[in-house]
Amino acid sequence: QLQLPLQLKAFSCEPRANTMVRTAPMFQAAAMHLCSAALLLLPLSHLVTAETPAAAGTCPSPSSYELPLQIGEIAQASGFGGPPALFGLVASIKGGWDPALYLYDTPMAVRHTWLISALNWNCAAAYSPTWSDALTRTHPLVRTPASVAVASNQTEGLFPPTEDVGLHNSDVRFLCAVQGWRAVMTDWVPEAVDTLIPTLAQFGLNTGHMGYREDVGACFEGVEDGGEVDSSCLQALAEQECYSPAVMGQIVGRQLAEYARADGWNQDGKLNKDGSPCVANCHRFGDYTGYEPVNLPSSPSISLPRRTLKKKKKEKKNKEKKENKETYVSARETNVSRRWMPLLGDDGRGCESRQQHVTPHIGTQGKPAALTRVEMDARTATNPSYDYNKEAVIVTQRLAATAVSDEKKVMIEFFDNKLNVAGIVIETVAGALRLKYEQTLNYVLALTAGDYDACILAWKEKVNHDLVRPTTWIQTEMAEVEFTTYAGPYEGVKTIPGKNFESYVSVMPHSEYVSGSACICQALMELTDGWMVLHDPDSDPSTFSITLPTIAQGSSRTEPGVTPARDITKVLQNMKELRDICGQSRLDGGMHFTQAVTASYELCEGLGVAASEYAYALFNGISS
């Protein structure tokens, strides 16, 4: 049998589905013979044009561009009303990615969801005629043609029949994302191997290369050192493999991987705490800015009461008065008791450990998604000037109210998990607006970009102010003061000394001011309302209600088996109510002083609007 060059195998004489001129069957047959004869006379360079499918090269079979039947069958059996690709996306995120991301503290979980969403979107953009790249806001690294000719399973005859496979559709975009996940999974979230792989397997999607391909990596050589990606190299690989989801997923995955290595988070721990290169036993996401907590358990208080300083001033001469004034200012500015202290925790089995501030570097070093670095740095929170003793009493009073309210308890726990909060909002928006696969990708991109920028901004101000948590202040500065407040799981309200005070849920290892949760929920409210209006100018976000998942009797993590006493279902009237309850839950749980929440709303105002506009501009193919 005659062996044809790969370029010839790619050429299809089959009529296109969108051909404007239709001919009778007999003329079609004649045209096929003429086409085949003319094929031998065509220069190879003319076989691939903007109007014709791409060269076949080492093309996979047509089935490689199609979703396995299992996805549709499982979606139908579950009662899912959307397209199979959307079902596969939602099920893979909830059953595969989320269980692994739950193991990470909020900053890393938020960052990973942003990266995964950008990967998903960039696959969609690559398989589109106009959409923009989420990272560059311009053309994707490789933009595929609308279709590609691949050899069908039939091989009889001189010219094997070919199939003209469409590429710009949801199924191919989702398959690209799956291959991108397989590329980055062990690099980003190794724990996801135990959850995402089984989830993909049940859909018939557990195929393809795991990790990064060397040939794709060669096109990115030098990028980590500041060089440019070799786009012609990527284009050649994509063409050779007929723009298959397998190769496009690898390209997009590697693009996001290179971005992640240079986004300022120190993902691979290549920088030591002093900023020098790490050569062995490196700590992932470790600080490299030299942050050290000032307020340690052994640190003595260096502040002096104001009245003592005034008395000393009266007893000294002019020169001494000036010195005492300087001493007073210095003491007030470096009052260690007001600075963040690493809390001591235990595992309930006799092992105690003290906190380290999680990722103190990301606020100033992290690369934002929707905002620019200049815009991020221009936003600051005012000094709260707390009256700590007064605020501490308010905290204990809130905890007393929480101790006797099942609804407060379950709201504290629900909003403690940002992935759950984002998940229910995404499901509500997608369902209410009946979003298609690509529209859902775009909304989720806006959501994760807003959350991500909110996290970076909040962390910048957390480290800038470096203020103490309520738990620390009450335990150390008011240790012998008695409070009638929450006395611990199952204990209700009792009178206890300050040294035994604890919040309702664990206090996370970062400083108190501002509230990261409140900042994220402010952004979530704005980006959701903003995206809905961009999607449908006639929509009214103020009437968009969200039904939170039913919280089953006895399902509390803090008081399992008892709280809540009965199932609780809560319907929120709109995103503003969600934001308000989210912020209030941080106060009701005892993790923050009052101003940390209200200041977060002010600090992050407008951030969600920027995120929704950023994402929707990509969807419209607008480069900003």
Side-chain angles (χ1 to χ4, degrees):
Q1 183 178 357
L2 177 64
Q3 297 296 312
L4 300 179
L6 294 177
Q7 293 94 328
L8 292 179
K9 291 181 181 179
F11 189 83
S12 173
C13 288
E14 296 289 341
R16 296 299 186 87
N18 59 352
T19 300
M20 296 299 294
V21 179
R22 299 185 180 275
T23 57
M26 60 180 295
F27 292 109
Q28 290 181 2
M32 287 291 293
H33 286 295
L34 290 172
C35 176
S36 298
L39 181 58
L40 296 176
L41 303 177
L42 287 175
L44 298 185
S45 61
H46 292 172
L47 292 177
V48 179
T49 68
E51 290 76 28
T52 60
T58 54
C59 293
S61 66
S63 61
S64 298
Y65 300 82
E66 301 170 354
L67 286 183
L69 294 177
Q70 294 99 303
I71 296 183
E73 293 170 351
I74 296 173
Q76 186 176 11
S78 68
F80 186 80
L86 183 56
F87 175 80
L89 175 74
V90 173
S92 298
I93 296 294
K94 294 184 68 173
W97 281 111
D98 282 358
L101 292 175
Y102 289 152
L103 303 174
Y104 287 76
D105 200 352
T106 297
M108 276 65 71
V110 167
R111 172 183 179 267
H112 286 314
T113 56
W114 147 244
L115 291 174
I116 294 166
S117 299
L119 186 157
N120 298 342
W121 173 259
N122 278 4
C123 272
Y127 284 109
S128 78
T130 60
W131 300 341
S132 297
D133 184 286
L135 303 182
T136 64
R137 309 191 192 192
T138 58
H139 296 291
L141 292 181
V142 175
R143 193 183 291 281
T144 71
S147 62
V148 63
V150 299
S152 69
N153 295 328
Q154 302 176 11
T155 58
E156 297 179 0
L158 181 62
F159 293 94
T162 60
E163 287 191 34
D164 197 359
V165 177
L167 299 180
H168 295 178
N169 59 70
S170 302
D171 291 358
V172 175
R173 290 163 181 154
F174 173 59
L175 291 173
C176 171
V178 169
Q179 295 303 320
W181 299 344
R182 292 180 63 85
V184 303
M185 187 189 317
T186 55
D187 185 15
W188 291 357
V189 189
E191 299 85 354
V193 172
D194 295 332
T195 52
L196 183 56
I197 293 300
T199 301
L200 296 177
Q202 71 172 332
F203 296 146
L205 293 171
N206 193 22
T207 58
H209 189 85
M210 180 71 80
Y212 304 118
R213 276 176 37 175
E214 291 185 5
D215 55 350
V216 174
C219 303
F220 288 87
E221 186 175 356
V223 169
E224 190 172 357
D225 298 323
E228 296 291 329
V229 63
D230 188 342
S231 56
S232 61
C233 171
L234 293 176
Q235 185 69 35
L237 282 176
E239 288 183 5
Q240 182 182 2
E241 299 184 32
C242 291
Y243 302 96
S244 69
V247 69
M248 293 302 297
Q250 278 283 329
I251 290 172
V252 173
R254 189 58 183 256
Q255 176 197 19
L256 268 294
E258 295 298 334
Y259 176 89
R261 292 192 181 101
D263 68 355
W265 285 63
N266 201 24
Q267 170 188 283
D268 300 324
K270 291 187 175 181
L271 295 176
N272 291 313
K273 196 171 185 64
D274 60 0
S276 63
C278 178
V279 297
N281 301 312
C282 304
H283 296 176
R284 296 187 72 202
F285 299 104
D287 174 46
Y288 56 94
T289 59
Y291 172 86
E292 292 287 352
V294 175
N295 188 7
L296 298 174
S298 59
S299 301
S301 175
I302 62 172
S303 61
L304 292 174
R306 191 181 188 95
R307 61 180 181 275
T308 303
L309 288 170
K310 287 183 177 179
K311 182 178 180 180
K312 287 186 177 182
K313 284 183 183 180
K314 294 179 181 179
E315 297 174 352
K316 295 185 179 292
K317 298 179 180 180
N318 291 340
K319 183 178 179 180
E320 292 173 330
K321 287 182 180 180
K322 183 178 180 181
E323 290 175 351
N324 278 320
K325 182 178 180 181
E326 292 172 349
T327 301
Y328 168 67
V329 172
S330 176
R332 185 177 66 175
E333 290 179 349
T334 60
N335 188 342
V336 294
S337 64
R338 297 170 186 249
R339 303 285 290 276
W340 179 74
M341 176 190 288
L343 284 169
L344 183 68
D346 71 273
D347 62 0
R349 296 182 293 273
C351 181
E352 294 184 333
S353 59
R354 195 166 290 281
Q355 295 176 337
Q356 289 287 333
H357 198 300
V358 64
T359 58
H361 56 289
I362 64 171
T364 56
Q365 304 301 313
K367 184 183 296 184
L371 298 184
T372 66
R373 187 70 249 182
V374 172
E375 291 171 331
M376 183 74 70
D377 291 341
R379 291 172 173 261
T380 58
T382 57
N383 192 317
S385 301
Y386 289 135
D387 181 335
Y388 278 97
N389 287 347
K390 181 179 179 180
E391 284 289 333
V393 171
I394 296 174
V395 169
T396 61
Q397 291 171 344
R398 289 197 185 107
L399 262 294
T402 295
V404 296
S405 171
D406 280 2
E407 182 170 317
K408 288 180 181 293
K409 291 177 182 178
V410 297
M411 289 299 100
I412 293 166
E413 294 187 17
F414 177 78
F415 284 100
D416 209 36
N417 189 321
K418 305 306 178 293
L419 296 179
N420 283 347
V421 176
I424 190 60
V425 175
I426 291 170
E427 290 181 23
T428 303
V429 171
L433 303 182
R434 297 185 178 181
L435 299 183
K436 298 178 181 179
Y437 174 80
E438 293 77 9
Q439 293 168 330
T440 303
L441 289 187
N442 189 262
Y443 170 67
V444 174
L445 181 71
L447 185 150
T448 56
D451 285 1
Y452 175 77
D453 280 5
C455 184
I456 291 179
L457 181 56
W459 250 249
K460 178 173 74 73
E461 293 307 291
K462 279 179 176 291
V463 174
N464 179 40
H465 293 276
D466 198 40
L467 295 183
V468 67
R469 289 276 189 173
T471 300
T472 304
W473 183 267
I474 295 170
Q475 288 181 352
T476 60
E477 302 299 317
M478 306 178 77
E480 302 304 327
V481 178
E482 290 194 337
F483 299 96
T484 301
T485 187
Y486 169 71
Y490 309 109
E491 297 298 323
V493 177
K494 294 182 178 179
T495 299
I496 61 173
K499 58 188 173 185
N500 294 140
F501 172 86
E502 294 284 356
S503 59
Y504 181 73
V505 293
S506 298
V507 177
M508 302 311 292
H510 38 80
S511 47
E512 187 268 342
Y513 185 82
V514 295
S515 167
S517 295
C519 197
I520 287 173
C521 288
Q522 171 72 23
L524 181 58
M525 174 191 71
E526 290 183 352
L527 68 89
T528 299
D529 289 352
W531 194 94
M532 289 173 61
V533 172
L534 290 171
H535 174 72
D536 179 8
D538 294 329
S539 62
D540 182 5
S542 67
T543 62
F544 179 72
S545 62
I546 305 97
T547 302
L548 300 185
T550 297
I551 300 172
Q553 177 183 0
S555 63
S556 167
R557 296 190 304 275
T558 302
E559 297 178 333
V562 172
T563 302
R566 60 183 62 86
D567 293 355
I568 292 180
T569 300
K570 193 171 182 64
V571 178
L572 309 181
Q573 297 305 309
N574 48 42
M575 288 299 299
K576 183 179 183 301
E577 185 177 4
L578 183 143
R579 183 211 68 170
D580 292 345
I581 294 177
C582 170
Q584 186 62 40
S585 72
R586 304 304 87 191
L587 301 177
D588 290 339
M591 291 83 78
H592 284 284
F593 298 117
T594 307
Q595 201 169 333
V597 170
T598 55
S600 293
Y601 296 157
E602 297 173 4
L603 174 69
C604 294
E605 184 178 1
L607 196 155
V609 174
S612 63
E613 292 175 348
Y614 147 76
Y616 216 82
L618 303 177
F619 189 72
N620 286 327
I622 300 171
S623 177
S624 57

